[in-house]
Amino acid sequence: MRKIIAALSAIGASVVLGAANETPLGEGDPMEVTDLGGRVLMVEGYGGNVAVGATGEGLVFSDAFLPESAPALIETAMATFDEAPRIVVSTHHHGDHTLGLAAFHEAGALSIGHTFMRHRIAERRFSDYRQDWVEPRAPELLPRMTYDSAFALHLGDQRIALVHYERAHTAGDTVVHFIDADVIATGDIFVNGVWPIIDHYAGGSVDGTLAALDEIIALAGPDTDIVPGHGPLASRADVIAYRAMLDEMRHAVLALQADGMSPEEIAEADPLAALAPDWRAWFTDSADVAAEMAREFARVAE
Amino acid sequence: MLRLVSSIAAAALFAASAHAQTRAFDADIVVTDLGSGVFMLVGRGGNIGLSVGEDGAFMVDDQFAPLTPRIEAAVAEVAGSGDVRFILNTHYHGDHMGGNEEWADRGATIFAHENARQRLTEPQVSSLTGEEEPAADPALWPIITFQSGVNFYMNGENVRVMHVPNAHTDGDSIVYFEGAGVLHMGDVFWNGLFPYIDVNAGGTIDGYIRALDYALTLINEDARIIPGHGPLAERADVIAALDMLTETRALIAEHVRAGDSLEDTLAAQPLADYESFGGGFINTRRFIELVYTDLAARLVLSE
């Protein structure tokens, strides 16, 4: 059952029926809210997708969005379920999932992320990507609590598992599994219909992503709702197809690499575009993905 | 606490009037300031650790339900408010989590290792009496569980909660307040006392030894250690407990390997040098019985 909630116009969030947007929602765009049943919503907004579950003992959010969009996310969930924010997870450290944390802290929520996720933003570090030092984020933007391997919330009648997979999208990923509602929020380990970002600079890897996707596929059943980090609501079959495509891309890049091509030459050849012509270029495109994959494989081979 | 004590206490509780219950659990809460906003609270049951500050109070264990108002008053005394935001149960025994329902009703979020919660949800067989005890009331179950560990970043502290496997039980956590240099060890450390090894709940003497060894890698000479039972300790006390356990393990293992019966082992008085540890809940005889039971089960399997 995927009924779009109609009550949101009252608090300024308009509702769009039908499939998700062709392009990511921007700062001024209205959020889209989908009722997944089991008192869990998928909210698509500026920052990507967030799954929100009501437990009877407070709301659990799979991510925090951005400062501009976090307050409306909180208001929407509170208006729908008449519960206060209790827990906000960070599926990884990227800003579109975490920069809204201050609003959640103000609302009294406990923020939780993987140990590496917090470490990544709590310490001054040198960024190979920016070739510059990056300062720690402000304290109100850091999770108050971290975990290492696995974590479970038993709130009211809602069991929610937080599961860490090593070196997938980043080194600090968390998948949020609403067990009783049969909903899995994957963070950016799985994105639907856009070119994937595997953040090699933050410990992400193609092989780790494939392994994590296998685990997500194993957790899901035919009726499970999969909330991707970005893109429209998905099913287990969509994740299986995505996993197969990613593996095919991996082989395509490896084949060119075996022919002696450099990452730059592989980007030039753009071997992946033809494999997934429907995927949207967003943060990254097919050529970037191919080049990053080639660099990762070259590092592993060294 | 000890399952035995908790079951006796529970029996007394159900038999007695509410008034008598309160009296039976009446105890003054003695508060020791350990600096940096960290305190030790001693009442009845497992010793409590407390961190207070701008992000709210974080408490390690909550003793027995009837003590809650007194503990709340003690927290208010040092924090200005009796509200406790987070509680960590070091393990599943009733003298460490008996107040969970009261604190949850007051708005606390309660954490424990997943095996600690699991044991509360199912009947348990006492390692001392062999009697089956029913599952705990669901209102007492911790609502957030973890496997290896969690860290809290609050009140300017880095609070590290670490699971130590198969020591007192199979769901033990120790809690290190890094800034204050205070380590709460739950019942993985009894200061100057023989510990209760809950062998039916996954406790082992080898896990105790490993856990104390690990604790020593965390702390320096200035650290204060809150034991599950017994007075506030320092590093030397942990070393004394580790020495006692290591020696005990060797002495009892000798009897087990020689095929001696429990009666023969007890008659040999292998722990005569450690009589001073026998003054608490676990006397020398009980301790030998527990270690013998533990080693007899595991040495036979592994050797």
Side-chain angles (χ1 to χ4, degrees):
Chain A
M1 181 186 61
R2 305 270 154 75
K3 68 169 188 282
I4 301 278
I5 293 183
L8 300 174
S9 49
I11 56 166
S14 68
V15 167
V16 183
L17 288 164
N21 291 333
E22 284 301 305
T23 53
L25 296 179
E27 185 178 338
D29 293 331
M31 294 185 307
E32 284 183 32
V33 181
T34 308
D35 183 350
L36 305 180
R39 291 184 299 147
V40 175
L41 306 178
M42 168 170 152
V43 181
E44 186 181 2
Y46 182 40
N49 297 320
V50 170
V52 192
T55 67
E57 297 184 15
L59 301 168
V60 177
F61 295 77
S62 70
D63 262 319
F65 277 165
L66 287 152
E68 299 81 0
S69 43
L73 170 61
I74 293 171
E75 281 171 35
T76 298
M78 289 178 74
T80 306
F81 294 119
D82 196 25
E83 288 184 27
R86 179 86 181 255
I87 303 280
V88 57
V89 180
S90 295
T91 59
H92 58 290
H93 70 281
H94 290 151
D96 51 341
H97 300 258
T98 55
L99 290 177
L101 276 177
F104 284 87
H105 289 147
E106 262 170 44
L110 170 63
S111 50
I112 300 174
H114 185 261
T115 300
F116 184 85
M117 174 266 157
R118 186 181 190 280
H119 180 73
R120 184 83 190 166
I121 53 178
E123 310 293 335
R124 185 170 189 262
R125 66 185 177 84
F126 188 80
S127 164
D128 285 323
Y129 179 69
R130 297 183 196 175
Q131 286 296 306
D132 198 2
W133 287 93
V134 176
E135 296 302 321
R137 287 196 198 153
E140 64 269 25
L141 296 178
L142 300 175
R144 298 274 193 270
M145 182 178 187
T146 64
Y147 78 99
D148 291 333
S149 54
F151 201 80
L153 311 172
H154 307 261
L155 284 168
D157 49 10
Q158 198 94 259
R159 285 173 301 161
I160 303 164
L162 274 56
V163 192
H164 169 63
Y165 298 117
E166 288 182 15
R167 306 207 61 174
H169 174 62
T170 69
D173 295 322
T174 295
V175 165
V176 184
H177 185 191
F178 296 84
I179 295 167
D180 295 295
D182 201 14
V183 174
I184 301 174
T186 63
D188 287 357
I189 293 172
F190 169 61
V191 292
N192 196 8
V194 299
W195 283 91
I197 299 179
I198 294 173
D199 189 348
H200 301 91
Y201 297 98
S205 72
V206 175
D207 286 350
T209 299
L210 290 168
L213 290 168
D214 284 337
E215 296 292 334
I216 292 166
I217 291 163
L219 288 176
D223 299 326
T224 303
D225 284 319
I226 310 277
V227 176
H230 301 272
L233 182 66
S235 68
R236 182 175 191 266
D238 295 323
V239 181
I240 291 172
Y242 178 82
R243 192 243 182 257
M245 179 58 77
L246 201 61
D247 199 29
E248 204 174 321
M249 291 177 172
R250 173 177 166 274
H251 284 291
V253 171
L254 282 170
L256 295 185
Q257 211 158 20
D259 291 341
M261 286 173 74
S262 71
E264 292 70 29
E265 288 164 343
I266 291 174
E268 187 73 23
D270 197 8
L272 307 185
L275 293 176
D278 297 336
W279 283 5
R280 279 189 282 111
W282 165 53
F283 229 90
T284 186
D285 61 21
S286 54
D288 293 337
V289 171
E292 287 300 344
M293 277 190 181
R295 286 188 194 106
E296 177 190 332
F297 301 149
R299 277 197 303 274
V300 171
E302 268 170 15
Chain B
M1 166 179 257
L2 314 185
R3 293 295 295 189
L4 180 63
V5 169
S6 66
S7 62
I8 290 170
L13 225 109
F14 292 125
S17 71
H19 180 67
Q21 274 177 41
T22 308
R23 229 176 19 201
F25 283 94
D26 213 5
D28 288 328
I29 307 296
V30 179
V31 179
T32 306
D33 188 346
L34 304 177
S36 306
V38 176
F39 299 84
M40 170 173 168
L41 277 58
V42 180
R44 180 156 303 179
N47 295 324
I48 289 175
L50 176 70
S51 161
V52 304
E54 56 176 2
D55 298 317
F58 176 99
M59 200 159 83
V60 182
D61 287 341
D62 55 27
Q63 298 190 346
F64 296 107
L67 284 173
T68 306
R70 289 201 170 216
I71 296 168
E72 192 175 24
V75 174
E77 187 90 357
V78 299
S81 152
D83 293 343
V84 172
R85 190 155 179 220
F86 304 116
I87 292 175
L88 182 282
N89 294 149
T90 57
H91 59 290
Y92 79 103
H93 290 153
D95 60 333
H96 295 260
M97 43 62 67
N100 277 4
E101 181 177 3
E102 278 69 15
W103 287 106
D105 287 347
R106 287 161 164 80
T109 299
I110 301 175
F111 294 76
H113 185 266
E114 61 180 20
N115 291 345
R117 178 184 155 103
Q118 187 62 33
R119 291 200 174 274
L120 289 171
T121 65
E122 295 168 349
Q124 300 292 316
V125 176
S126 165
S127 298
L128 288 171
T129 67
E131 285 171 19
E132 183 169 301
E133 295 158 359
D137 187 310
L140 291 165
W141 300 353
I143 59 166
I144 301 192
T145 59
F146 52 86
Q147 282 181 358
S148 56
V150 291
N151 294 327
F152 289 83
Y153 302 87
M154 53 186 296
N155 301 333
E157 262 290 351
N158 182 2
V159 185
R160 295 174 59 189
V161 180
M162 293 158 276
H163 171 56
V164 286
N166 300 94
H168 176 56
T169 68
D170 62 3
D172 299 320
S173 297
I174 62 174
V175 184
Y176 189 37
F177 299 93
E178 271 188 351
V182 173
L183 179 64
H184 190 305
M185 295 197 65
D187 282 1
V188 171
F189 173 50
W190 299 48
N191 190 10
L193 303 166
F194 285 134
Y196 173 41
I197 304 174
D198 191 347
V199 294
N200 287 347
T204 66
I205 189 166
D206 292 341
Y208 258 105
I209 291 168
R210 280 194 299 270
L212 291 176
D213 242 342
Y214 178 55
L216 290 173
T217 68
L218 296 171
I219 57 177
N220 64 21
E221 294 295 332
D222 300 326
R224 274 74 45 79
I225 299 97
I226 301 176
H229 300 275
L232 185 68
E234 51 190 56
R235 196 168 194 275
D237 299 313
V238 178
I239 293 172
L242 178 56
D243 288 347
M244 178 276 290
L245 288 165
T246 308
E247 184 66 12
T248 296
R249 202 245 183 233
L251 289 167
I252 308 287
E254 235 169 75
H255 288 281
V256 171
R257 288 200 183 96
D260 294 349
S261 67
L262 173 60
E263 287 64 36
D264 293 343
T265 305
L266 285 164
Q269 303 194 326
L271 300 187
D273 289 349
Y274 295 107
E275 286 297 332
S276 70
F277 283 85
F281 174 68
I282 300 295
N283 60 29
T284 306
R285 181 191 174 88
R286 275 179 173 165
F287 190 54
I288 293 172
E289 285 171 356
L290 288 167
V291 176
Y292 182 94
T293 305
D294 171 30
L295 292 177
R298 289 185 303 113
L299 290 182
V300 167
L301 290 173
S302 64
E303 289 178 6

